[in-house]
Amino acid sequence: RRPRDTPKRGMASKAPTTSKRKKATPDEGVNFALKRLRDGQDGRPGSLEEVLQKVKALEAAVKRGAARRTTLEDLKMADEYREVVDRDSGEIAAAIEQVMIAASKSILRGDGFQYTMPSRGATDQVYLDELDRIVLKNKTTQANFASVSSVRKVTILTRVMQLVHGVLSRGIHVTKRDLFYTDVKLFKDQKDSDAVLDDISCMLGCTRNSLHVVASEKGVVVGRLQYQEDGDEIDCTRMGVGGKAIPSNIDKVTNMRSDAKFVLLVEKDAAFMRLAEDRFYNKYPCIILTAKGQPDVASRLFLSKLKRDLRIPVLALVDADPYGLKIISVYMQGSKNMAFDSANLTTPDIKWLGVRPSDLEKFKIPEQCRLEMTAKDIETGHHMLNEDFIKSNPEWVKEINIMLETKTKAEIQALSSYGFQYLSEVYLPLKLAEGDWI
């Protein structure tokens, strides 16, 4: 039996195809999956318990693994690379004062107004296979007020440190947008004040959250998760289709509890809403999370905390294109512009569940639902093949090569060609049942 809204035989449109592959009929893709799915639903053999067998085995493996991640100290490389940690607001305020005292002494010595800052150029950000994440080399550079090339940066740095010191002294949090609007004429563009926040964070050796300057809420979570947020009890099973906004102040999230067997990390809001509305987490105990595209800092911190506190696997559902894989990589290995905080922001060993390039043929996705890759897509795909962490996973390399050879990509929504609930009722259950992740 098909999902409730699966198109009937002969009802699909006959869009022309540019491929020489044999065109699949609407029923072929559905019947292929339904014949293999053993979930005990709609008269099919098996049970929901059978679907979850391989997921439970993966969960057990995660719980058996090391509870603590390898650090630079463990590798005796703490002097070669720089990492930041969460620090108390009083410590950070005192550290800012020390930076300003050092700048004052530099002026009195006749060396001029300057800051010694960590160097964060492209060549300073490297992937360490031993840690499976991007880290920052421990190098410094001088930013001098007397230099034409750095006078503006020194000015913005000074102003932002003054503002951050005031925020910390009051014990409050502000958004990056709030900070920008305190001196619009100086900053001109929010990108300037945002970039300086990362410089200050790295210079003081603290996480960006320790500065009490946060981004606006973006990510959402729903499913089998309860926690406390600043003393308030949150139950993510009672958050409706929209889910619970992931708080910007992750340090206020405590006491996470869950009976979920896995976290489903979803790239797009549309797929998240489909799964939330279908209450996918009731049949298959899980926590569903999305950052609605490129992940923000709060979503990355929240996912890292979920994996660390609950010790359950993370399965990713993204578009079958280079950018979907790039999003997984940011969650796993970190981003280069925040390499100094990768220990806090990364979530190791995320499994790529779908949609994978090989799924397009496996699930007989109709030609009219596939997209031609652009020149930029192809360039990004080749670039990813050169990334060290991609090279270390032969299965990922194989999937990217399929994409580049066929020059074809597809979005998660391509699955809707078989019915709007095909994703939650057929595709994902079959993927889970077969342990089809890499």
Side-chain angles (χ1 to χ4, degrees):
R1 182 176 166 185
R2 303 180 190 88
R4 286 189 288 276
D5 56 2
T6 299
K8 295 180 181 178
R9 187 185 298 274
M11 301 261 318
S13 62
K14 302 274 187 177
T17 175
T18 57
S19 172
K20 293 182 180 179
R21 290 186 293 268
K22 182 179 178 292
K23 186 176 179 181
T25 66
D27 277 347
E28 278 186 281
V30 176
N31 291 337
F32 155 80
L34 293 181
K35 283 176 185 176
R36 298 173 65 161
L37 182 58
R38 297 178 56 83
D39 61 353
Q41 304 294 297
D42 298 330
R44 291 187 290 274
S47 65
L48 296 179
E49 188 66 24
E50 192 172 328
V51 172
L52 291 169
Q53 280 181 358
K54 292 191 176 180
V55 176
K56 289 181 177 179
L58 180 61
E59 179 199 15
V62 170
K63 291 188 185 301
R64 285 195 304 269
R68 178 177 165 276
R69 294 179 68 182
T70 304
T71 65
L72 288 171
E73 285 77 12
D74 296 332
L75 300 174
K76 296 182 171 53
M77 300 170 77
D79 292 335
E80 297 176 53
Y81 301 97
R82 180 186 293 264
E83 283 191 329
V84 299
V85 295
D86 282 315
R87 295 178 65 185
D88 179 76
S89 57
E91 283 185 72
I92 304 304
I96 291 174
E97 290 163 12
Q98 289 303 311
V99 169
M100 301 316 297
I101 289 171
S104 300
K105 288 181 176 178
S106 175
I107 294 170
L108 292 173
R109 285 196 308 268
D111 295 332
F113 183 19
Q114 62 183 7
Y115 295 121
T116 300
M117 300 172 55
S119 180
R120 296 175 54 225
T123 57
D124 302 313
Q125 301 152 356
V126 295
Y127 171 78
L128 276 190
D129 189 52
E130 300 92 331
L131 297 177
D132 192 26
R133 54 187 167 86
I134 298 169
V135 294
L136 184 68
K137 291 179 182 177
N138 193 12
K139 291 169 58 181
T140 59
T141 185
Q142 298 294 323
N144 199 310
F145 185 75
S147 169
V148 174
S149 62
S150 58
V151 60
R152 176 169 161 73
K153 183 161 191 172
V154 171
T155 305
I156 294 175
L157 267 167
T158 306
R159 178 63 170 139
V160 172
M161 278 196 280
Q162 178 194 22
L163 293 168
V164 168
H165 188 274
V167 168
L168 294 170
S169 300
R170 290 174 177 81
I172 59 174
H173 288 76
V174 298
T175 66
K176 293 192 291 184
R177 195 68 176 165
D178 288 332
L179 198 75
F180 168 68
Y181 272 107
T182 58
D183 206 331
V184 177
K185 288 187 177 178
L186 171 62
F187 300 139
K188 293 184 181 178
D189 191 311
Q190 190 177 329
K191 290 179 182 176
D192 292 340
S193 54
D194 287 358
V196 162
L197 281 171
D198 291 338
D199 287 324
I200 293 171
S201 195
C202 193
M203 184 164 60
L204 301 179
C206 68
T207 61
R208 204 168 71 183
N209 267 23
S210 298
L211 300 177
H212 285 206
V213 181
V214 298
S216 299
E217 293 173 344
K218 179 188 175 191
V220 287
V221 62
V222 74
R224 309 279 272 263
L225 174 67
Q226 293 82 41
Y227 61 87
Q228 289 184 317
E229 183 183 332
D230 202 18
D232 295 328
E233 185 66 22
I234 305 296
D235 184 349
C236 294
T237 62
R238 300 175 181 273
M239 293 296 163
V241 177
K244 166 72 175 73
I246 292 173
S248 300
N249 305 333
I250 300 298
D251 55 327
K252 293 185 182 293
V253 174
T254 57
N255 194 23
M256 281 185 165
R257 293 104 56 207
S258 177
D259 64 349
K261 300 301 175 188
F262 63 100
V263 176
L264 185 60
L265 177 63
V266 181
E267 176 183 350
K268 290 189 170 175
D269 192 32
F272 176 90
M273 288 178 63
R274 174 77 274 131
L275 295 168
E277 187 174 43
D278 290 349
R279 300 295 191 269
F280 181 80
Y281 50 83
N282 284 339
K283 273 188 185 178
Y284 307 101
C286 66
I287 300 163
I288 307 172
L289 183 151
T290 183
K292 304 177 184 177
Q294 193 66 26
D296 58 315
V297 169
S299 297
R300 290 161 65 187
L301 285 170
F302 193 84
L303 181 66
S304 180
K305 184 174 178 62
L306 273 179
K307 177 81 179 282
R308 188 171 59 249
D309 289 6
L310 303 180
R311 303 196 65 198
I312 56 177
V314 179
L315 307 177
L317 176 67
V318 298
D319 289 341
D321 63 21
Y323 303 102
L325 187 53
K326 205 167 185 179
I327 283 171
I328 299 177
S329 75
V330 170
Y331 280 110
M332 279 183 66
Q333 276 76 33
S335 57
K336 290 188 174 180
N337 66 318
M338 295 198 72
F340 60 89
D341 199 11
S342 65
N344 298 299
L345 291 171
T346 55
T347 303
D349 197 27
I350 295 175
K351 303 298 184 185
W352 188 6
L353 183 66
V355 175
R356 301 204 303 272
S358 59
D359 287 344
L360 303 189
E361 286 303 305
K362 179 179 177 180
F363 286 87
K364 307 184 191 304
I365 301 301
E367 292 291 339
Q368 65 267 27
C369 299
R370 308 183 193 193
L371 302 168
E372 290 293 320
M373 292 177 71
T374 65
K376 183 66 176 175
D377 293 333
I378 294 170
E379 181 186 340
T380 302
H382 283 296
H383 175 74
M384 296 208 74
L385 282 175
N386 293 322
E387 295 282 357
D388 291 331
F389 69 90
I390 295 288
K391 291 177 183 176
S392 66
N393 191 327
E395 290 298 318
W396 288 34
V397 172
K398 181 180 175 183
E399 292 290 343
I400 296 175
N401 280 327
I402 290 173
M403 195 188 308
L404 293 174
E405 286 166 11
T406 61
K407 293 183 172 57
T408 303
K409 62 182 180 177
E411 298 184 2
I412 301 169
Q413 281 69 41
L415 299 169
S416 298
S417 63
Y418 290 143
F420 293 118
Q421 293 178 300
Y422 182 82
L423 172 67
S424 58
E425 293 187 356
V426 179
Y427 177 79
L428 286 177
L430 183 58
K431 285 283 214 172
L432 296 175
E434 296 186 343
D436 187 12
W437 52 71
I438 57 176

